[in-house]
Amino acid sequence: MVDKEIREQIIAMVHREVVPAIGCTEPMCVALCTAKATEKLGCRPEKIEALLSADILKNAMGVGIPGTGMIGLPIAIALGALIGKSDYQLEVLKDLTPESLEAGKKYLAENRIFIKQKEGITEKLYVEIICSAGDKKASAVIAGSHTRFVDPCTSTLNPPPSTLNHQPSDYPLNLRLVYDFATTTPLDEIDFIMDARTYNMNAAREALKGNYGHNLGKSIERPLSKGIFGNSIYCHIISRTAAACDARMGGAMIPVMSNSGSGNQGICATNPVCVYAKENENTEEELIRALMLSHLTAIYIKQSLGRLSALCGCVVASIGSSCGITYLMGGDYERICYSVKNMVANLTGMICDGAKPSCSLKITSGVSTALLSALLAMEGKCVSSSEGIVDDDVDKSIHNLTSIGADAMCKTDDMVLNIMTSKDSK
């Protein structure tokens, strides 16, 4: 069993990284920062300037804002100023009403909001909001993680690489420690992870009641799809995972449990594991341990990848869910290492082109690969170190993946944002 002091540090980290969120975390992060700046101003802003990193812009341009029927940053900023409460963290807009939405739309029409990219920074997750009214001015800055406020006067815009991806209190992980923690820690210390099931499976159920995004989750439940996929565990896993993403990206006022600042990552690390456990008739203890294994694996990978990157987060979360499903299949540490290597061999290079309804398509690809990788692992099949970027050492394989996502794909990230911002708006 992992030492008690280490367990406590890991548990504290999981509590920080696996938290409820309403809507896509990037526009909610901007709304949160706006709420804080407005609170510091002490009155309704007459003007709001938003200076954002390229990755925040990329991930907030095309996503639905919960309860508004609108997409993008302007309405998120307006509502952050008018009704946002910074104490709510990533649920900053949960007090939204039809009346406050109309007020937000009116505020937008008055052309009080100005959004642009913050130049000269290397930090991928950076939000600076400047609110003014008359001769009063107040600002707030979030950097490094979606809820981490820093002093606007002393914040480092170009921190060294070692500080970009980690919080000061992060506990350094490796896959063996992740596995040992998830499989041996006393249940009463980790059963809180079941809250993720409550949130994210509920989001999937609610999504099936409406029409959100591309309706991928609902489409997989229809007769035509069942004629192709069958009424199978695979079909149910894909449907429940895609449905929750449909709702979240489509602007449903439904909270989800996020992972490492991403609701989609939280969904992808949760729903496949929960559906498989139910249909495979695993015990509650097995589910708890599988969920912790899945979520903590994703947290571990994000430690070296960073909060935001050119690599799609579904790659990370799907590796976690593949580990969790392999465990539920009866896999030991060796088989889980196999599933990780199989995932790295398959999904590396999937780009992130912003948060948007079609994220459900990428999540479906990730979860499909997670199931395939788990099945191969249980057959004792594993991509070898003579193939591609896979290494004999599983942690080295993971770091090969994150090096590509965090470093080698930076030019890809620039190109993606350029394409997104250069498209004809007609």
Side-chain angles (χ1 to χ4, degrees):
M1 183 182 295
V2 177
D3 180 77
K4 187 174 188 298
E5 183 178 344
I6 295 174
R7 296 203 312 270
E8 289 174 348
Q9 292 184 65
I10 294 174
I11 288 167
M13 184 169 62
V14 175
H15 276 300
R16 289 193 303 273
E17 300 292 358
V18 181
V19 297
I22 295 177
C24 176
T25 48
E26 275 68 57
M28 290 306 104
C29 168
V30 178
L32 172 62
C33 198
T34 304
K36 175 67 80 171
T38 301
E39 290 164 2
K40 292 169 71 174
L41 184 68
C43 62
R44 175 173 163 155
E46 296 173 358
K47 177 183 176 182
I48 302 174
E49 297 176 80
L51 307 176
L52 312 173
S53 63
D55 281 75
I56 289 288
L57 283 170
K58 179 184 74 173
N59 281 330
M61 288 173 58
V63 69
I65 306 303
T68 68
M70 302 171 70
I71 64 171
L73 284 168
I75 189 62
I77 292 172
L79 294 174
L82 298 181
I83 64 153
K85 291 183 175 62
S86 63
D87 287 345
Y88 290 168
Q89 298 284 286
L90 293 178
E91 295 180 284
V92 58
L93 301 184
K94 70 179 182 180
D95 288 342
L96 180 65
T97 64
E99 293 74 23
S100 57
L101 175 58
E102 289 306 310
K105 291 178 179 179
K106 181 179 178 182
Y107 192 87
L108 282 183
E110 294 167 352
N111 296 316
R112 299 177 182 275
I113 298 172
F114 303 88
I115 303 169
K116 64 180 180 179
Q117 184 176 338
K118 179 78 173 183
E119 301 293 342
I121 62 171
T122 58
E123 175 61 76
K124 290 181 177 294
L125 199 165
Y126 183 87
V127 177
E128 180 179 352
I129 301 293
I130 304 166
C131 294
S132 57
D135 58 358
K136 295 173 61 179
K137 184 175 288 189
S139 64
V141 174
I142 288 176
S145 71
H146 293 78
T147 59
R148 180 173 175 250
F149 285 98
V150 298
D151 187 338
C153 299
T154 61
S155 62
T156 302
L157 302 187
N158 296 291
S162 62
T163 66
L164 284 175
N165 301 317
H166 298 278
Q167 294 300 308
S169 53
D170 272 355
Y171 190 87
L173 299 169
N174 57 65
L175 194 64
R176 181 80 225 194
L177 177 57
V178 168
Y179 174 81
D180 288 345
F181 174 85
T183 57
T184 66
T185 297
L187 275 187
D188 62 351
E189 295 182 19
I190 61 171
D191 59 3
F192 66 87
I193 200 68
M194 291 289 274
D195 289 345
R197 179 184 70 168
T198 301
Y199 275 88
N200 295 348
M201 291 302 292
N202 181 64
R205 286 188 291 270
E206 290 299 315
L208 295 175
K209 298 176 183 177
N211 291 302
Y212 299 102
H214 297 293
N215 278 325
L216 181 57
K218 290 180 73 172
S219 295
I220 295 169
E221 288 289 320
R222 288 173 179 154
L224 176 61
S225 297
K226 288 188 175 179
I228 297 170
F229 297 118
N231 190 21
S232 62
I233 297 177
Y234 170 82
C235 177
H236 300 160
I237 287 174
I238 296 299
S239 173
R240 299 303 186 273
T241 308
C245 180
D246 286 334
R248 179 174 176 268
M249 294 290 95
M253 201 69 175
I254 302 171
V256 301
M257 192 69 82
S258 64
N259 180 298
S260 304
S262 168
N264 282 348
Q265 286 170 196
I267 291 166
C268 199
T270 302
N271 291 23
V273 177
C274 292
V275 175
Y276 184 87
K278 180 179 179 181
E279 304 225 2
N280 195 49
E281 299 183 354
N282 288 98
T283 66
E284 184 173 282
E285 175 177 350
E286 288 169 337
L287 174 57
I288 290 169
R289 297 196 183 283
L291 280 174
M292 182 56 72
L293 177 60
S294 179
H295 277 274
L296 195 56
T297 298
I299 291 169
Y300 163 43
I301 298 172
K302 294 292 284 189
Q303 284 185 337
S304 55
L305 179 62
R307 296 279 173 170
L308 300 176
S309 73
L311 183 70
C312 177
C314 85
V315 175
V316 174
S318 295
I319 294 174
S321 61
S322 188
C323 292
I325 290 170
T326 303
Y327 173 79
L328 292 172
M329 289 177 172
D332 57 8
Y333 178 68
E334 181 182 25
R335 293 296 191 271
I336 285 166
C337 289
Y338 286 0
S339 69
V340 171
K341 293 179 183 180
N342 292 337
M343 291 292 291
V344 170
N346 194 326
L347 285 182
T348 301
M350 182 184 288
I351 65 167
C352 170
D353 53 345
K356 59 211 174 302
S358 60
C359 285
S360 60
L361 293 167
K362 294 189 177 186
I363 278 183
T364 298
S365 297
V367 174
S368 297
T369 305
L371 289 162
L372 178 62
S373 296
L375 285 169
L376 283 174
M378 293 305 294
E379 291 288 332
K381 304 295 184 183
C382 173
V383 175
S384 70
S385 60
S386 63
E387 303 173 72
I389 66 168
V390 173
D391 192 274
D392 285 330
D393 181 87
V394 69
D395 294 295
K396 180 62 175 174
S397 296
I398 288 171
H399 286 288
N400 289 343
L401 167 73
T402 59
S403 294
I404 290 171
D407 301 322
M409 292 176 71
C410 286
K411 288 188 177 180
T412 300
D413 215 16
D414 294 338
M415 177 64 76
V416 167
L417 182 64
N418 182 60
I419 291 171
M420 291 173 65
T421 56
S422 301
K423 285 189 283 189
D424 190 342
S425 60
K426 293 181 181 179

